[in-house]
Each structure stands twice: as C-alpha cells, then as structure tokens.
Amino acid sequence: MASAEHKRLAYLDAMGIQVWKARRAPPHVIGSADEHPPTPEESVVELPLEAEGTGTATETAIVEPEIPAQAPGVLEFAASADWPADDDIPWPLEEDGWVPAPDEPEPDQVQDTLSPEPLDWESLERRVAACTACALHQSRTQTVFGVGNREAQWMIIGEAPGEQEDLRGEPFVGPAGMLLNEMLRAIGLSREQVYIANILKCRPPRNRDPQADEASACEGYLKQQVALIKPRIILAVGRIAAQNLLKTNLTIGKLRGQVHRYEQIPLVVTYHPAYLLRTPTEKRRAWDDLRLALGTLRQNP
C-alpha cells in the first residue's frame, strides 16, 4: 500500500502542481545589516514565482487552523526532511532560537483624534474613505481599508498600499500578495481566513517609506481595526510595519525570533514577501517565523 506521502505526491502531480525539493542555500550575499550567513545545516526551498493574476489561494471554509504535522504540502515552503511526524511537541522550540519577549508597558488607548468612542465597521470604513488627515489623500486613487475575515484569529499587518493596491482598494495584490497567499497556505490558512491590513491606508508617492506624520494619522484607524477583530496573533510583515507597531528603530533581524505585544496581543515579526521575492534564501527564516507564530497561538488559547 502506498504511503500517505506517495499518495500526496501523486495527487499533486495529477493536478499539475510541481513540488519543490530542498537544496542547499547558495553562497550568502554579504552587505545587509539584517542578514547573516546560514548555518551548514540550513537548506532553503524556492517558491514558484507564478505569473501575476494566477496562484490565488483556494477558498476554504473558515475553521481553526491546526499546526501541520509535516512540512507544508503544496509548495514545500521549507525543507521537510527533519519535520517531526506528530504535532505533540513543545511550541515554540527553544533550539529554533526562540526567546521570550521582555515585559512591555501597557498599550495606549485608541487615539482620541480618531473618535472618543469605538466605531463599528461601517462607521470606521466611512471615516477612512473620507480621511484627509495627511497629504496622501491628495494623490490616492482610493483608500485601502483592509480585507478578510473580521472575526479572524490571525491579523496580518503590512506597510502601505502600492500601485496595484491603490487601484484595486485591496492590500497585498500582485506578486508579493501571491507569495503571502502561499505563505499562509503553508500553515494551513487561506487568505479568506485571516484579516489583512496596512500601517497606512493610502499609497505614498512612488511607494516611498511612510513618513512619521502619515503613520501617526493612520494609527488610530489600525487600532480600531485591531479592537474590532480581537485577533489572537498578529504577524507584522516587513521592517516598516514592525518598527511602527513596536515603536522602535531596531532592525528586522533583531526583532525576529521573539514574541512581542501590540495592544496586549502577541505579535511576531517576519520578512515582507517583496523582500523574499528578491532574496529567496531568507524563505527558510520566514518559515521559522511562521512556526513561531503558530506555536504562540497554540500556547495562548
């Protein structure tokens, strides 16, 4: 009788889906403050770069995700040779470099400049659509409010809308959005099961980094979204998102590998999908970040 793994591979082959196998990481490129050479034991797996407009996540019913007993299936997001056979292991794993975050101060309340009272979803969305709190409203096509399950356990927070997001009014579309979909699929989630938002609701000109006054003007909106969703875990995607949420200038390399808090909600930092497209050797570390987030969620029911 064929093993479960052989059946899975045969099923994927019948669907025309290529399964990527582990290979050794190429020589490390020195020059980034956030980078450090991988150890000899590390291996990485490339994700297929599909043409824009393809590769969207399959729609599934909204159910609580389970920590995968084996390495992620469809795209083999990380090497699977040493993945444990069962999920009855302590999470997060100390040998993966996880350390607890230090105690942090009580979070601030939702900005009074946004609303003295919490808003419902419809009122908040209207407020964002009509916002003129910073100069970005003069150049936007439309605001990018957020998308996904408003009762999600997972909240994904990125930096700011890009050109395609500004045109479509939805965060994380295009190649980076497709890679984010695959990262979510690797941990058993679809795009429809999480809530995705950005630090900014309007696109900065030429996709430049958000300015301090722009992030401040949008901060209250994001806090209202977090308060409405009440997620159990937040994934901060990229340096800009992490630094703004945690009010720090630390590099992403120093922010990864530990559990932070935002509004008393556990927060894990990982690389932006756009960075992973440019630097695929870091996908192995992004997988470690996803495992840390999964383990944190499991430890905090």
Side-chain angles (χ1 to χ4, degrees):
M1 179 180 295
S3 67
E5 177 67 12
H6 289 162
K7 290 181 178 179
R8 182 180 68 83
L9 293 176
Y11 173 74
L12 294 177
D13 183 67
M15 293 176 64
I17 298 175
Q18 182 178 5
V19 177
W20 291 74
K21 300 297 183 181
R23 62 173 177 78
R24 290 291 181 187
H28 186 68
V29 179
I30 304 299
S32 169
D34 290 346
E35 296 176 348
H36 55 277
T39 62
E41 292 79 11
E42 290 182 335
S43 60
V44 296
V45 174
E46 299 269 352
L47 290 175
L49 304 184
E50 299 169 328
E52 185 169 357
T54 65
T56 56
T58 303
E59 294 188 7
T60 60
I62 297 175
V63 296
E64 182 173 350
E66 296 181 356
I67 296 177
Q70 299 178 349
V74 176
L75 293 171
E76 300 294 345
F77 186 72
S80 61
D82 58 353
W83 190 254
D86 62 73
D87 60 358
D88 294 326
I89 55 178
W91 289 85
L93 298 178
E94 293 183 0
E95 57 264 35
D96 284 342
W98 175 82
V99 294
D103 292 336
E104 299 183 15
E106 292 292 326
D108 296 332
Q109 297 299 315
V110 174
Q111 287 184 335
D112 291 339
T113 53
L114 174 61
S115 173
E117 299 293 337
L119 300 175
D120 59 28
W121 279 109
E122 291 71 22
S123 299
L124 180 60
E125 193 161 8
R126 287 196 300 269
R127 184 76 62 88
V128 170
C131 181
T132 58
C134 73
L136 292 181
H137 77 277
Q138 299 173 352
S139 58
R140 73 189 181 211
T141 302
Q142 59 187 313
T143 56
V144 181
F145 182 72
V147 67
N149 178 11
R150 292 180 175 180
E151 297 180 353
Q153 296 184 7
W154 288 72
M155 187 169 183
I156 316 298
I157 301 179
E159 173 185 339
E163 181 181 9
Q164 292 303 313
E165 288 82 359
D166 177 67
L167 293 173
R168 292 176 54 176
E170 180 177 340
F172 281 94
V173 298
M178 287 191 287
L179 181 53
L180 177 63
N181 293 346
E182 306 303 352
M183 293 169 67
L184 293 172
R185 191 185 304 178
I187 55 174
L189 294 169
S190 70
R191 186 181 179 95
E192 293 75 22
Q193 289 176 273
V194 305
Y195 193 87
I196 306 173
N198 283 315
I199 294 295
L200 295 190
K201 307 304 183 189
C202 298
R203 178 197 178 195
R206 298 178 297 280
N207 295 347
R208 61 162 171 76
D209 287 351
Q211 297 177 354
D213 64 319
E214 296 163 351
S216 178
C218 271
E219 184 177 11
Y221 298 140
L222 183 62
K223 285 189 175 184
Q224 288 268 18
Q225 287 176 304
V226 172
L228 287 167
I229 296 168
K230 299 179 177 65
R232 289 174 56 197
I233 187 75
I234 293 173
L235 189 67
V237 178
R239 174 182 61 86
I240 298 297
Q243 289 178 342
N244 276 276
L245 291 169
L246 299 176
K247 306 300 183 186
T248 181
N249 290 322
L250 291 177
T251 64
I252 193 170
K254 293 182 178 179
L255 293 172
R256 290 182 54 254
Q258 57 183 312
V259 181
H260 306 272
R261 293 269 170 178
Y262 179 81
E263 301 293 288
Q264 296 301 301
I265 299 167
L267 181 150
V268 171
V269 175
T270 193
Y271 295 113
H272 197 285
Y275 172 75
L276 295 177
L277 290 173
R278 299 191 303 270
T279 316
T281 54
E282 297 290 5
K283 290 177 181 177
R284 181 65 178 86
R285 291 190 174 88
W287 170 239
D288 291 338
D289 299 333
L290 295 176
R291 291 178 65 201
L292 174 58
L294 277 171
T296 302
L297 182 64
R298 180 171 181 173
Q299 288 188 335
N300 295 275

